[in-house]
Amino acid sequence: MRYHKEFEHWFETPEGEHLFLRPIRPTDKELLVAGMQRYSRESIFRRFMTQKQSLTDDELTYLTETDGVNHIALGVGHRITRDDQDCIEGVAVGRCVRLVSQPNTADFALFVGDPWQKKGVGTLLLIHLGAAAREQGISEFTGEMLTRNLPMQRLVKSAAPNARWYVRGEITEVEIDLSDLPEP
Ligand SMILES: CC(C)(COP(=O)(O)OP(=O)(O)OC[C@H]1O[C@@H](n2cnc3c(N)ncnc32)[C@H](O)[C@@H]1OP(=O)(O)O)[C@@H](O)C(=O)NCCC(=O)NCCS
């Protein structure tokens, strides 16, 4: 398992909140569990496209113990003080998983917690995830979303205007050439 320190990045939201982006670590399991409790059923449904109340131990292992080569996961967090203790609250996650049948392509997904949406976090995650994937020889992202998930479609259309779209009833698939994404 590799931790790519070069992917660490601090940035500021339009409201002046300081957030950091970094690769997800095995020790982030509690942050994911807390996020599942804090963020809305609808956002979690849009991410997993199924009703999910919690994550199993196996899912938490899969989501946090990534190799950084075939499975790249980036998280966004911010530092908060709770009960006089400094701690981190998870804000967003972006990940991609290389396809075994097409090693130059990876399946990708984004999740931004409800209060952090519409601040550019998802776009930034996609751009950084694309750059991290390119370093591992991945040249294309493919992803599925609900056809009614217009925020995700607007995000991709704005970041990757040449993306290819396939609407299949309730599910829409997108393919993005990573060269189409801006540099971080
Ligand atoms: C879809 C999703 C990832 C979008 O993330 P996001 O952080 O809200 O996306 P962004 O802020 O980068 O862009 C979304 C909108 O905010 C706008 N925006 C971006 N920066 C902004 C800013 N500084 N101020 C105001 N608006 C801003 C964008 O222009 C865009 O507007 P539009 O929808 O009218 O085109 C997020 O809504 C989410 O996680 N939803 C639940 C899970 C999900 O749907 N995942 C996708 C399936 S894999």
Side-chain angles (χ1 to χ4, degrees):
M1 194 178 307
R2 296 189 207 163
Y3 183 84
H4 294 274
K5 198 167 168 51
E6 69 270 24
F7 297 144
E8 293 181 357
H9 174 73
W10 280 92
F11 63 101
E12 199 175 334
T13 67
E15 289 77 26
E17 298 135 327
H18 292 267
L19 304 181
F20 61 88
L21 181 151
R22 64 158 170 76
I24 291 213
R25 301 172 181 150
T27 48
D28 289 335
K29 291 182 179 66
E30 280 177 25
L31 291 180
L32 263 63
V33 169
M36 289 292 286
Q37 289 161 359
R38 184 181 315 115
Y39 298 129
S40 75
R41 295 292 112 208
E42 176 62 18
S43 285
I44 293 169
F45 181 74
R46 287 179 179 220
R47 160 63 181 88
F48 292 103
M49 295 195 288
T50 179
Q51 294 292 354
K52 219 174 207 344
Q53 309 278 350
S54 58
L55 298 166
T56 64
D57 288 348
D58 282 352
E59 286 170 329
L60 282 169
T61 299
Y62 175 75
L63 294 171
T64 58
E65 300 185 20
T66 60
D67 62 10
V69 176
N70 297 313
H71 185 169
I72 302 167
L74 301 179
V76 175
H78 77 136
R79 291 188 196 284
I80 56 168
T81 306
R82 188 181 288 141
D83 301 331
D84 287 335
Q85 301 262 8
D86 282 339
C87 52
I88 294 172
E89 193 171 82
V91 164
V93 175
R95 70 179 63 244
C96 68
V97 179
R98 193 189 299 267
L99 301 187
V100 175
S101 57
Q102 284 167 264
N104 293 339
T105 302
D107 188 59
F108 83 105
L110 303 176
F111 178 88
V112 180
D114 302 68
W116 301 97
Q117 294 171 3
K118 289 198 171 285
K119 294 170 184 261
V121 176
T123 302
L124 193 91
L125 251 182
L126 176 61
I127 290 170
H128 281 256
L129 190 65
R134 278 198 302 265
E135 283 196 14
Q136 302 306 324
I138 294 167
S139 55
E140 184 174 295
F141 277 170
T142 180
E144 286 188 341
M145 65 202 72
L146 297 172
T147 299
R148 67 177 164 85
N149 191 347
L150 301 183
M152 183 63 178
Q153 288 160 44
R154 281 200 294 265
L155 183 161
V156 173
K157 281 176 184 159
S158 150
N162 297 315
R164 298 174 296 280
W165 296 90
Y166 308 93
V167 180
R168 300 191 178 102
E170 290 182 5
I171 303 292
T172 289
E173 187 184 340
V174 66
E175 292 171 354
I176 304 172
D177 286 338
L178 297 190
S179 58
D180 199 23
L181 288 174
E183 289 293 324

